[in-house]
Amino acid sequence: QVRLVESGGGSVQAGDSLRLSCAVSGYTYSRYVMGWFRQPPGQERETVATIDNDDNTSYADSVKGRFTISKDDAKNTLYLQMNSLKPEDTARYYCAADLGRWRTTDQALERGNFAYYNQGTQVTVSS
């Protein structure tokens, strides 16, 4: 069974950095697209970054240049490095995975709807 467990959230000041981690287990697909999406209270989900097994990446305009998605295949861990955080980045952040690689990172970024995700981790940025 696929399991995604996020960690690394917290409360920071504007301009600070955080790194989110996602431990992935039970995922047997060699070709995949994974990503991070966020959901502020009372707002819609936004997929902010995606990555595939070939390390192709895509980013939402709202985070481009500030966030970096990466993975460590040896550790089965997905990361989201968030720099220059802004109050509008406040949200619950979710690690997510597709069933195999049936779409590009750009398509996954645009449409979201990942097959697997967990409970997320809260990121709060104060001004």
Side-chain angles (χ1 to χ4, degrees):
Q1 183 173 350
V2 177
R3 189 168 183 228
L4 307 171
V5 180
E6 303 95 339
S7 61
S11 296
V12 296
Q13 297 287 320
D16 286 350
S17 298
L18 275 177
R19 188 175 80 159
L20 305 183
S21 299
C22 175
V24 182
S25 60
Y27 196 81
T28 59
Y29 295 91
S30 59
R31 292 170 56 82
Y32 54 80
V33 175
M34 293 189 178
W36 293 89
F37 67 87
R38 65 187 181 185
Q39 187 164 22
Q43 298 184 41
E44 294 186 353
R45 291 178 182 176
E46 177 189 25
T47 303
V48 296
T50 56
I51 188 169
D52 67 20
N53 55 286
D54 288 330
D55 288 328
N56 296 302
T57 58
S58 297
Y59 295 94
D61 288 342
S62 58
V63 307
K64 200 171 293 184
R66 300 188 298 121
F67 289 12
T68 302
I69 188 171
S70 63
K71 58 183 176 63
D72 185 330
D73 293 331
K75 296 181 178 180
N76 292 324
T77 302
L78 183 70
Y79 301 100
L80 185 67
Q81 177 67 42
M82 305 185 294
N83 298 330
S84 303
L85 282 161
K86 304 175 181 180
E88 50 264 43
D89 294 320
T90 295
R92 193 158 191 88
Y93 284 73
Y94 299 81
C95 165
D98 256 348
L99 288 171
R101 183 173 158 181
W102 57 277
R103 53 182 178 174
T104 67
T105 55
D106 282 345
Q107 291 169 334
L109 184 76
E110 180 180 356
R111 301 172 191 171
N113 291 326
F114 288 91
Y116 300 104
Y117 57 93
N118 199 24
Q119 297 180 345
T121 184
Q122 179 67 34
V123 172
T124 302
V125 185
S126 56
S127 57

